Amino acid sequence: MSATRLPGTPRLLRALNDRAALELLLERGPLTRARLGELTGLSKVTASQLVERLEERGLVTRVGEQAGGRGPNAQLYAVRPSSAHVVGVDVGPDRVVAACADITGAVIGRVEQSTRDTDDPVGVVHNAVVQAASSAQAQLSSVRRIVLGTPGLVDPHTGDITFAFNLPRWHSGLLAALRDDLHTPVVFENDVNLAAVAEAQSGAAQELADFVLVWVGAGVGLAIMLGGRLHHGSSGAAGEIGYLPVPGAPIPRDVSRRAKPAFQQLIGGDSVRAVAREHGYPDADAAEAVRAAVADGDGGGPLLDELARRLALGVASTCVVLDPPLVVLAGEVGQAGGAALADRVQQEVAAITLVRPRVVPTGLTEEPILRGALRTALDAVRDEVFGSTVG
């Protein structure tokens, strides 16, 4: 009985081979046609046709030659960086940082702006995106996606901001306004979630499909990664652990009044500073006090012990529900505490629950939210530009 030929199968296989070749060029750098054939398992003829196809689509370009044995030198090919660009934006209460990357992931433009003198979020984002693209010498029309990391809730159904405690002027309807203004796809994502994306890419959670990231800074938040995907919850509120009703702090009954929720009262930046003053660190901000306590060795132990006890209440509550193998401590305080704080939290969680996750400090030292925004944008744009299937 002869095999049935499925319509479109050769076209689909070509698309899959093209995508595999592009991923190899991104991962390994410039390659010859012959080497691409070896790595993809394609014949020399098929590999040559593939490269010609990608050149015609403007996705790869010749970047040099590789000297070999007899005969002419082999041409080297690489992904054409200018085939698409993305912009990532980290939005905070006082500043906006935007970076532009080409499709290879190279960051080629960056700007930072204060937001203290404006109440126009559309104007703030517009200026940051335009200036980031300009500093990268990229046309705004080549920017295929903009991802903004913001504190607060992002509605998973509409993609719009529904609540941002520290950004009262950021509101529902802003997403449409930005898309109309910039004429390109714009995506909002919670800032702590983006930090987890960066941690999975190049930080302490590499090669792990399941983990949680606890952000401890001015505020406290949680990102949940399950099966290699962010978990947002039905309303986008998954990870808002500042609202955990924990012992040791009063529990506000009306969150609409912008009162600080219980766990935020216990371990947010203001509370860390207050505890630090009680332990002999009167003049430092939260992260500086924790960093000083770590440097003091045994002398800083009591402060770290108290912070670990407080932090463990939220970590334990999360872990008895999700049972992740790894907890990453990030944010200014989490990073400052390093292994000294992480080890204490791990011991405290094991002492008060049946679960024993590994607790580690962040593996990233610079701009994790921005890095996560760029990675999220790049993943989407590569799917669009490279195309893993053909209709």
Side-chain angles (χ1 to χ4, degrees):
M1 181 177 177
S2 61
T4 301
R5 183 180 297 276
L6 297 176
T9 297
R11 194 178 183 196
L12 173 61
L13 289 175
R14 283 196 299 272
L16 294 173
N17 289 336
D18 289 356
R19 179 61 184 263
L22 289 163
E23 295 290 351
L24 283 168
L25 288 170
L26 286 173
E27 179 184 346
R28 301 196 178 211
L31 297 170
T32 64
R33 296 186 184 203
R35 184 59 177 152
L36 266 176
E38 293 172 6
L39 293 172
T40 57
L42 300 175
S43 68
K44 291 182 178 179
V45 172
T46 303
S48 293
Q49 293 172 342
L50 178 153
V51 171
E52 290 172 4
R53 213 163 41 239
L54 295 180
E55 275 193 292
E56 290 174 0
R57 292 173 61 190
L59 297 179
V60 303
T61 185
R62 303 180 192 189
V63 294
E65 295 181 344
Q66 184 179 75
R70 297 176 181 176
N73 293 341
Q75 296 286 334
L76 284 166
Y77 295 86
V79 172
R80 187 165 67 89
S82 60
S83 55
H85 296 91
V86 299
V87 173
V89 185
D90 177 6
V91 180
D94 300 317
R95 63 167 195 146
V96 167
V97 182
C100 181
D102 63 37
I103 202 165
T104 71
V107 177
I108 52 178
R110 183 185 183 282
V111 295
E112 182 172 341
Q113 297 180 345
S114 171
T115 60
R116 293 179 180 177
D117 299 326
T118 179
D119 57 0
D120 175 18
V122 173
V124 166
V125 175
H126 176 95
N127 290 337
V129 169
V130 169
Q131 290 183 29
S134 177
S135 68
Q137 297 184 334
Q139 296 292 323
L140 194 59
S141 60
S142 74
V143 175
R144 299 286 293 263
R145 183 164 294 236
I146 301 162
V147 174
L148 294 97
T150 74
L153 304 186
V154 177
D155 188 315
H157 306 291
T158 67
D160 222 333
I161 293 176
T162 57
F163 177 77
F165 189 92
N166 293 326
L167 297 170
R169 297 182 185 88
W170 292 64
H171 50 76
S172 181
L174 183 56
L175 182 63
L178 286 170
R179 288 174 174 173
D180 289 344
D181 176 74
L182 292 164
H183 305 291
T184 197
V186 178
V187 176
F188 285 132
E189 180 58 273
N190 174 267
D191 52 2
V192 179
N193 283 344
L194 292 177
V197 170
E199 206 74 52
Q201 177 204 358
S202 55
Q206 293 179 70
E207 301 182 1
L208 276 179
D210 300 336
F211 71 94
V212 298
L213 180 143
V214 179
W215 184 278
V216 191
V220 58
L222 175 80
I224 304 165
M225 192 76 74
L226 297 175
R229 299 173 65 89
L230 287 169
H231 178 70
H232 295 90
S234 62
S235 66
E240 292 295 325
I241 58 169
Y243 289 88
L244 280 174
V246 294
I251 301 172
R253 305 292 298 182
D254 187 357
V255 297
S256 66
R257 294 182 180 275
R258 305 181 70 83
K260 285 186 180 179
F263 191 51
Q264 170 72 24
Q265 295 176 52
L266 207 61
I267 197 62
D270 291 341
S271 298
V272 173
R273 283 194 297 272
V275 174
R277 286 194 295 269
E278 294 172 3
H279 287 81
Y281 300 92
D283 300 322
D285 68 18
E288 289 172 350
V290 173
R291 199 173 292 110
V294 172
D296 286 347
D298 292 342
L303 171 57
L304 297 177
D305 290 342
E306 175 61 22
L307 294 179
R309 280 192 292 269
R310 294 178 176 220
L311 190 50
L313 293 174
V315 174
S317 298
T318 298
C319 291
V320 293
V321 176
L322 298 175
D323 194 14
L326 180 73
V327 177
V328 179
L329 298 186
E332 298 87 352
V333 172
Q335 181 181 339
L341 180 60
D343 290 347
R344 285 171 165 84
V345 173
Q346 178 172 311
Q347 293 167 11
E348 186 68 15
V349 170
I352 62 177
T353 70
L354 294 174
V355 295
R356 286 169 170 74
R358 189 162 58 97
V359 182
V360 300
T362 175
L364 304 173
T365 58
E366 295 183 359
E367 300 184 320
I369 296 167
L370 190 63
R371 293 171 69 166
L374 289 169
R375 171 51 51 181
T376 300
L378 280 167
D379 286 345
V381 168
R382 286 172 180 172
D383 281 343
E384 294 171 2
V385 174
F386 294 168
S388 58
T389 60
V390 175

